[in-house]
Structures are given as structure tokens and as C-alpha cells.
Amino acid sequence: MAATQQRLNVAIIDSNPSSALYQVELLAHEFPWSEAIFMQSSGNGYRWRELIHQGKTCGFTTCQQVVDELTLHNIAVAPEHQGLGLGGQLLDDVLRYAQNDDLTVFLEVRLSNTKALHLYEKSGFVIVGRRANYYRTAAGFEDGLVMRWQPTEN
């Protein structure tokens, strides 16, 4: 079985923002969150999950729940672990949580992030909006797409 098709033996555990997770943030994103914003994204309504493979932190998600909506603020996998399906496993974890609590999930994604767009669409997300010049790039800014997943549709 190809590496991209197999599910690796990983642990997804409850977490809080930490220096280990922030290191993944720095490695995974060309324009990462600032450390201050990253570390402040905690408290009531936040849900952090840490992905551990072979004893090493290699990914995370952070979501915020407000009433019956869950916003996936960030999902990241360290570059050396990308392409193995770990992002999909993290997303599956978020969607199981949302399904169990009957939550609608929202997220924003860069227009140029075709791998993520494909994963989200395959998982049942639909595009519901567009934010012009939302994300910084090396050449300026690019649009962000707003996507929604609803448990009743999946």
C-alpha cells in the first residue's frame, strides 16, 4: 500500500498551545501566526489537538466553538510528515467531534492551497464565501475561501 494511502500509527490527544506546537506552525507555514497570537488562542471554547507520531509532535489542529459552530482556525503538519495522510487524520478528528455534537464547521483556506482545498472538498466542505486579499504572500496578498461543513449533509 502506498504511503499516502495508509493510516500511520499516530496519537491525537487533547493539548494546549505550546512551544512544540508552535515549532510545527513555524515549519508548516510560510507566513505563520505570531507566537503571541498562537499562545493566546486558548481558554473557553477552544479545542487544541496534538498529533504525535513515534513520540514526536508532528501536527495539530485548533478550533473554537461558539454555540453550534466550530471554526477550524489552524491545521498544520510538519513538512517531513506531509503527504502521508496525517492532515486527513487530523481533519477526520475535527469532523468526528463536530458530528458528535451536531456542529457546523467553518474554515478559511488560501486560494492557492489546492491540496487543502481538495482534502476539504473530499471531506464534504463547500465554498460559501471569498475574502479578497485575505492572506499575505511573498508577492502581496491572495484571496481566502470560506468553507462550510454541516453534519446533516455528511
Side-chain angles (χ1 to χ4, degrees):
M1 181 180 285
T4 56
Q5 295 175 340
Q6 63 182 312
R7 291 182 73 84
L8 297 179
N9 184 17
V10 296
I12 300 176
I13 62 170
D14 288 330
S15 189
N16 285 302
S18 67
S19 59
L21 297 183
Y22 190 64
Q23 289 306 307
V24 172
E25 170 74 6
L26 291 173
L27 293 170
H29 299 293
E30 184 177 3
F31 297 96
W33 289 8
S34 73
E35 187 172 12
I37 296 294
F38 191 90
M39 295 301 182
Q40 291 173 3
S41 299
S42 64
N44 192 27
Y46 281 91
R47 179 181 188 264
W48 283 83
R49 300 287 276 171
E50 180 176 359
L51 181 89
I52 300 171
H53 177 57
Q54 297 179 337
K56 181 179 177 188
T57 297
C58 59
F60 68 89
T61 59
T62 182
C63 302
Q64 184 179 24
Q65 183 177 341
V66 177
V67 190
D68 61 349
E69 293 181 0
L70 186 70
T71 300
L72 176 57
H73 287 297
N74 203 337
I75 182 170
V77 175
E80 67 268 22
H81 292 95
Q82 291 177 3
L84 303 173
L86 298 178
Q89 289 185 49
L90 283 166
L91 184 60
D92 287 348
D93 175 70
V94 169
L95 297 181
R96 274 192 305 277
Y97 176 79
Q99 184 75 45
N100 288 341
D101 287 357
D102 199 32
L103 304 173
T104 298
V105 181
F106 288 92
L107 59 81
E108 290 119 13
V109 61
R110 289 176 180 270
L111 184 61
S112 65
N113 193 344
T114 56
K115 287 181 182 180
L117 278 167
H118 176 73
L119 174 64
Y120 298 145
E121 288 173 341
K122 186 174 78 169
S123 297
F125 282 85
V126 295
I127 297 169
V128 295
R130 186 177 187 129
R131 294 189 172 152
N133 299 314
Y134 189 69
Y135 289 102
R136 188 168 45 133
T137 69
F141 291 90
E142 72 175 301
D143 292 357
L145 298 176
V146 179
M147 301 185 83
R148 179 188 68 219
W149 178 94
Q150 293 183 284
T152 56
E153 295 175 1
N154 296 287

